[in-house]
Amino acid sequence: MPDVRETPLLVIGGGPGGYPAALHAADHGLKVTLVDEGAKLGGVCLNRGCIPSKALLHTAKIIREAHEMANYGVSFSDPQIDLAKLRAFVQEKVVSKLTSGIGQLTKGRGVDVVKGRAVFTSPNTVEVTGEQPQTIRFQNCIIATGSLPVVPKPWQIGDERVMDSTAALLLPDIPKKLLVIGGGYIGLELGSVYAALGSKVTVVEALERILFMADKDLVDPLEKRLRTEFEAIYTSTKVMGLEATAEGIAVKLEGKDVPASLTFDRVLVSVGRRPNSAGIGLDKAGVNANEKGYIPIDKQRRTNVPHIYAIGDVGEEPALAHKATAEARVAVEVILGEPAEWNPRAIPAVIFTDPEIAWAGITQQEADKQNIPYEALTFPWAASGRAVSIARTEGRTKMLVDPESKRVLGVGIVGAGAGEMIAEGVLAIEMGAIARDVLESIHPHPTLSETVMESAELAYGAATHMAKPRKR
Ligand code: FAD
């Protein structure tokens, strides 16, 4: 091994920002070195985020659906849960399969993968410690070091019954009573998993409502369902302290109509994530980070040091895997000398609860806040043949259009499979489609996707399958 490895492009971090950047650059003939300190490539998303959580949510969905079929004449006995086997499915059949796939992709593209932690020692060098220690000198660098879960200091009581999302995904056991602190998407997704496995789940959210970033009318059907599946959802409620006792974790609460104290077998803290930018020697490279730890970047994803780029969770919000991957393409194309820039009209967001919530483009609450004129066209799934046939009529599809031009500004969906459906909304917004473009694109019948077409139809007076309001 040379004392100093020279590389035209160094990528730090092998998550959904870093590894696609390395692959894309290699595909275009750049010699790339990818450094990651994790045991396996794939970052948070593949190892302890998107992928394991979705494998567990799939399991939870099947448990719930099997149970619900009793209402329609087919009864199954209660599920027998073999936790060791379920864990093995998630970790070996899903996570390991995908992470080793990334290993093969990087190998196939000739990317040099270095295992270890990279810390900048100058604007053109990093020192790698760990499994493969070395010095790397680079011409360009992409920082894709991601983010870490936040567990506020007072809740760090040194008891393994207080978990972050990483620990919860490892399914240590099925607690009888689980408290989820934080009514964001990670807390609700994992809460749904544990509820389906048999835990009595309580959610505490400091804000007035769960999932504050999503439109309320989209959250309502989910909240209604979660209130039947969870023990309790306390909003406008603060956790004032955690204490480890022999009986469990005693939790002090403060809020209206909330017990002052409750005890749980486990507590999941899911109150947010912070950019992983501390301790990587940014000062030695001359790269700025703001007070929250995010690395400010321009439209080319450049930091203040022109040959150093930042993408993914460490750069700017939203912290989503597909946003990191899309930024990777921009940064690499800029490095290749192409006139690329980050300018998406729609970054989709999906909450993989049941029902799912998904949106793209502007939300109604954002449009209100920014005084953007819009027409909101909502198609209730009770009028969808497909939704009726799968007994999922609680959903709704909402399209926001410009009142004059009818250009699609945003799409929001709540309902079974909303996450798969939102891609049509993204395409419509990116292509600058008007509602008629969506309406005149023939959608297959009977599918839930027809609800997107019918919401577009509302821009021109009425939707075929929706009762027209009676004229007085
Ligand atoms: P990361 O995935 O965080 O990867 C960073 C990598 O950098 C890591 O592998 C780390 O080991 C490495 N690293 C860090 N510092 C160094 C260093 N100094 N040297 C070497 N290596 C280093 N997003 C979605 O879009 N959809 C979802 O459904 C979804 N579900 C989620 C569920 C959970 C429970 C969690 C926690 C997150 C979820 N996310 C989801 C968010 C998603 O995981 C992140 O947005 C995404 O992983 C960010 O990618 P990234 O490349 O920026 O960083």
Side-chain angles (χ1 to χ4, degrees), residues 226-247:
L226 288 181
R227 285 197 184 271
T228 66
E229 289 171 9
F230 290 177
E231 188 73 357
I233 300 176
Y234 297 121
T235 52
S236 303
T237 300
K238 283 191 180 145
V239 170
M240 303 307 288
L242 304 181
E243 193 194 337
T245 70
E247 292 73 45

Side-chain angles (χ1 to χ4, degrees), residues 12-18 35-38 40 42-45 48-50 53-54 116-119 144-147 165 169 185-186 189-190 273 276 280 311-314 319-322 324 350 352:
I12 308 177
V35 187
D36 193 286
E37 64 180 340
K40 290 174 184 160
V44 169
C45 180
R48 47 192 179 276
C50 331
S53 62
K54 269 75 238 181
R117 179 172 176 77
V119 174
T145 48
S147 62
S165 59
L169 282 167
Y185 83 93
I186 292 178
E189 287 185 3
L190 289 174
R273 299 181 62 83
N276 185 12
I280 59 169
I311 59 172
D313 289 8
V314 77
L320 291 169
H322 43 273
V350 181
F352 290 87

Side-chain angles (χ1 to χ4, degrees), residues 375 377 399-409 411 424 428-429 431-443 452-464:
E375 256 176 63
L377 315 165
M399 187 176 281
L400 302 183
V401 297
D402 177 83
E404 298 289 314
S405 65
K406 311 290 184 203
R407 193 161 66 80
V408 183
L409 305 173
V411 176
E424 177 177 11
I429 297 165
M431 301 294 288
I434 60 166
R436 187 163 291 282
D437 295 319
V438 179
L439 163 62
E440 290 183 354
S441 304
I442 301 173
H443 287 60
V452 181
M453 178 179 68
E454 296 229 25
S455 67
E457 207 178 353
L458 285 168
Y460 306 101
T464 307

Side-chain angles (χ1 to χ4, degrees), residues 202-449:
T202 298
V203 174
V204 168
E205 166 58 57
L207 299 176
E208 265 168 37
R209 64 179 180 90
I210 55 170
L211 299 173
F212 72 96
M213 71 302 252
D215 284 344
K216 187 174 176 312
D217 56 342
L218 300 181
V219 176
D220 285 345
L222 170 67
E223 183 167 350
K224 193 169 164 205
R225 198 175 161 106
L226 288 181
R227 285 197 184 271
T228 66
E229 289 171 9
F230 290 177
E231 188 73 357
I233 300 176
Y234 297 121
T235 52
S236 303
T237 300
K238 283 191 180 145
V239 170
M240 303 307 288
L242 304 181
E243 193 194 337
T245 70
E247 292 73 45
I249 305 292
V251 182
K252 283 205 185 86
L253 300 173
E254 197 179 274
K256 206 171 151 255
D257 302 326
V258 170
S261 171
L262 287 170
T263 299
F264 297 89
D265 300 297
R266 285 188 179 271
V267 173
L268 163 62
V269 180
S270 55
V271 293
R273 299 181 62 83
R274 65 184 162 84
N276 185 12
S277 62
I280 59 169
L282 289 183
D283 51 334
K284 294 276 174 10
V287 172
N288 295 334
N290 67 21
E291 66 290 348
K292 287 187 174 166
Y294 289 103
I295 300 176
I297 40 181
D298 66 10
K299 277 186 183 282
Q300 274 71 40
R301 310 289 85 177
R302 273 195 180 98
T303 67
N304 60 305
V305 177
H307 65 283
I308 302 183
Y309 299 71
I311 59 172
D313 289 8
V314 77
E316 59 187 27
E317 291 179 287
L320 291 169
H322 43 273
K323 177 234 158 203
T325 303
E327 286 177 295
R329 186 171 286 274
V330 171
V332 167
E333 287 174 3
V334 171
I335 291 167
L336 291 167
E338 291 174 27
E341 69 170 30
W342 180 249
N343 204 5
R345 285 186 179 165
I347 302 173
V350 181
I351 298 159
F352 290 87
T353 41
D354 188 20
E356 293 177 355
I357 299 179
W359 67 91
I362 197 144
T363 61
Q364 194 169 353
Q365 58 188 9
E366 271 167 8
D368 286 337
K369 215 154 104 193
Q370 295 176 33
N371 279 324
I372 295 175
Y374 65 85
E375 256 176 63
L377 315 165
T378 301
F379 184 83
W381 285 22
S384 151
R386 178 66 174 199
V388 171
S389 62
I390 60 167
R392 295 308 301 263
T393 51
E394 81 277 26
R396 57 183 66 148
T397 299
K398 177 169 71 173
M399 187 176 281
L400 302 183
V401 297
D402 177 83
E404 298 289 314
S405 65
K406 311 290 184 203
R407 193 161 66 80
V408 183
L409 305 173
V411 176
I413 307 173
V414 55
E420 298 289 343
M421 290 166 63
I422 199 63
E424 177 177 11
V426 178
L427 188 66
I429 297 165
E430 276 296 340
M431 301 294 288
I434 60 166
R436 187 163 291 282
D437 295 319
V438 179
L439 163 62
E440 290 183 354
S441 304
I442 301 173
H443 287 60
H445 178 73
T447 63
L448 296 168
S449 72

